[in-house]
Amino acid sequence: MQRRDFVLGAAAAAGWLPARAADAPGWNRNAFSARTFADVVKALGGGVAQESKDVAFLQAPEIAENGTSVRFAAESRVPGTTQVAFVVEKNPFPLAALFDVPAGTDPSFTLHLKMGESSRVYALARAGDRWLYAVRNVTVTLGGCAA
């Protein structure tokens, strides 16, 4: 490791420099650059995702008054879940969040997402080589993703 790389890494870790997602280890550029739900699943290493009652939204509004911060909660009841993702179909870059689930961890997540317009939102779970999802239609009355 060169001194410059060490100093820049230490400065970023200390919060003196902004961290960039593109430099994060394990960041999947293809998945976060995908433009459709099917392309996201493919970029994450899956084939065709199947809708499942074992992946569920615990909280998802039918109507969001403001798309800048919409709260979602979802869980996977599928044994062996290793990843959970949230996909907002009509956002410019649909993959909004991707979580790795360590063994023995409850695959349940709550987060706020930005939505540019009314859209279907997917909670996508990986268990082994299967991709399963739940979907909700959310109507946004005031958009949050200005292009």
Side-chain angles (χ1 to χ4, degrees):
M1 174 182 278
Q2 293 184 355
R3 181 176 182 258
R4 181 174 200 270
D5 294 333
F6 175 78
V7 171
L8 287 175
W16 298 334
L17 295 175
R20 295 183 342 196
D23 294 334
W27 187 68
N28 189 332
R29 179 182 307 270
N30 293 335
F32 281 96
S33 298
R35 299 293 184 152
T36 66
F37 175 72
D39 289 344
V40 167
V41 175
K42 184 177 177 184
L44 291 172
V48 176
Q50 296 177 320
E51 192 165 2
S52 173
K53 292 181 182 181
D54 291 325
V55 178
F57 279 100
L58 303 174
Q59 182 177 13
E62 288 183 21
I63 298 175
E65 291 182 17
N66 190 339
T68 58
S69 181
V70 184
R71 185 179 173 96
F72 291 93
E75 72 175 350
S76 171
R77 294 183 291 268
V78 181
T81 298
T82 57
Q83 285 186 319
V84 174
F86 290 84
V87 180
V88 182
E89 186 175 58
K90 290 189 180 177
N91 274 2
F93 297 101
L95 181 57
L98 176 63
F99 300 98
D100 289 327
V101 181
T105 304
D106 180 27
S108 177
F109 296 92
T110 301
L111 69 162
H112 289 252
L113 299 177
K114 187 179 269 193
M115 296 182 65
E117 61 184 286
S118 299
S119 177
R120 290 192 288 189
V121 178
Y122 296 88
L124 181 64
R126 177 184 202 161
D129 60 350
R130 297 182 313 151
W131 286 92
L132 307 168
Y133 69 88
V135 63
R136 286 286 175 95
N137 289 311
V138 179
T139 301
V140 176
T141 58
L142 179 64
C145 290

